[in-house]
Amino acid sequence: MVSAEVAQFRDGLRTFIARDSASVRYTKRTNIYNCGDDDGNIYLIESGQVKTQMYTRCGKECVLSIFVAGDIFGESSLLGGDRLETATVMRTSWVRRIPAARFRAAMADTGLMDDLIAYLTLRIAEQQRVIATMVTMDSEQRLAAVLLRLSRKLGKRQAHNLVAIEDRITQEELSGMVGTTRSRVGYFLKRFRTAGMVVPATEPFLLVNEERLAEYVDETDVISNG
């Protein structure tokens, strides 16, 4: 499934979920579902921002993904079983939800099951690239890779290879995505500013130089599609 087909299929999923589901408002820091929940729904974000994360036995957070308006999450419910991750609202959000059983039946009835499998395969491949980044790069490189992925997912292009990330993501959340401490994230961001990979700005939240970030992490197949 090429990028144009992915975009078309995602648009179709959004239309279907929006038509056959109710919109629910979640306030900041609310958990939509928790690890261990028997939650059989798929979710579509209409507005706002949601993160999924897992926790170690000692309570340390590992941020898996960040989702924004138009994103679909919670697809693991198609496989049944309890949730392995927690989904938390980062800022007040309007979210639609649809039971996975109804969703799966609709995909079969409309002949879109093969497209759904291809789409989910791409999502798995994306997660595998993230895992590869975590195990093959040091923490400073991982932060650069995370910022690069966020710029491509959330960013708005500016002049001179700059990308504005307007959605506020805390250093604590960045540390959860990188697998290091908040203080180390702050230290690395200062180094990135000195190197011109991150441009000082009060607004937006982050202004990054995508080309320099890509050069720094020696953009290979590990992150080329991240």
Side-chain angles (χ1 to χ4, degrees):
M1 187 180 284
V2 298
S3 58
E5 292 172 327
V6 171
Q8 184 177 3
F9 182 67
R10 281 169 58 93
D11 289 343
L13 287 182
R14 293 168 186 160
T15 300
F16 169 74
I17 295 175
R19 185 184 66 236
D20 288 13
S21 62
S23 186
V24 181
R25 182 178 182 270
Y26 293 92
T27 57
K28 185 177 180 179
R29 297 190 181 91
T30 299
N31 287 347
I32 296 176
Y33 56 79
N34 294 283
C35 177
D37 283 353
D38 180 15
D39 174 78
N41 296 298
I42 292 175
Y43 298 87
L44 166 68
I45 301 178
E46 291 189 306
S47 65
Q49 192 168 297
V50 175
K51 64 179 177 180
T52 55
Q53 71 271 6
M54 299 179 73
Y55 294 91
T56 64
R57 290 185 178 180
C58 63
K60 185 175 181 180
E61 179 187 66
C62 175
V63 178
L64 303 175
S65 298
I66 292 178
F67 301 96
V68 294
D71 281 342
I72 298 163
F73 66 98
E75 302 98 324
S76 62
S77 62
L78 291 168
L79 301 175
D82 296 340
R83 291 291 187 184
L84 299 177
E85 80 284 0
T86 297
T88 303
V89 176
M90 299 175 69
R91 57 187 175 88
T92 298
S93 303
W94 284 92
V95 179
R96 290 184 175 271
R97 61 187 178 194
I98 182 171
R102 187 196 307 170
F103 179 85
R104 187 166 50 243
M107 292 296 100
D109 291 343
T110 55
L112 293 175
M113 187 59 72
D114 288 344
D115 289 337
L116 175 63
I117 292 172
Y119 170 72
L120 295 177
T121 299
L122 288 177
R123 290 290 295 266
I124 292 171
E126 180 182 353
Q127 288 299 316
Q128 289 175 330
R129 285 192 292 271
V130 172
I131 293 170
T133 297
M134 293 293 287
V135 300
T136 60
M137 296 181 177
D138 62 34
S139 55
E140 188 172 55
Q141 290 174 315
R142 293 200 300 270
L143 177 60
V146 164
L147 293 178
L148 191 59
R149 288 200 305 273
L150 290 174
S151 71
R152 291 171 174 174
K153 181 178 179 66
L154 309 177
K156 295 183 179 178
R157 296 196 173 276
Q158 312 290 312
H160 310 298
N161 292 315
L162 298 180
V163 179
I165 302 175
E166 297 180 346
D167 297 86
R168 179 164 293 278
I169 301 169
T170 68
Q171 290 188 12
E172 189 69 34
E173 287 162 340
L174 286 174
S175 70
M177 299 180 75
V178 172
T180 188
T181 64
R182 178 179 177 179
S183 61
R184 293 294 286 172
V185 166
Y187 172 72
F188 295 149
L189 286 174
K190 288 181 181 179
R191 285 171 54 87
F192 290 171
R193 292 189 186 98
T194 300
M197 293 185 288
V198 174
V199 178
T202 54
E203 294 292 340
F205 169 61
L206 275 178
L207 193 60
V208 304
N209 188 308
E210 184 178 23
E211 182 177 354
R212 291 191 180 181
L213 277 175
E215 290 174 352
Y216 174 73
V217 297
D218 191 21
E219 192 172 40
T220 62
D221 60 320
V222 171
I223 63 167
S224 61
N225 294 312

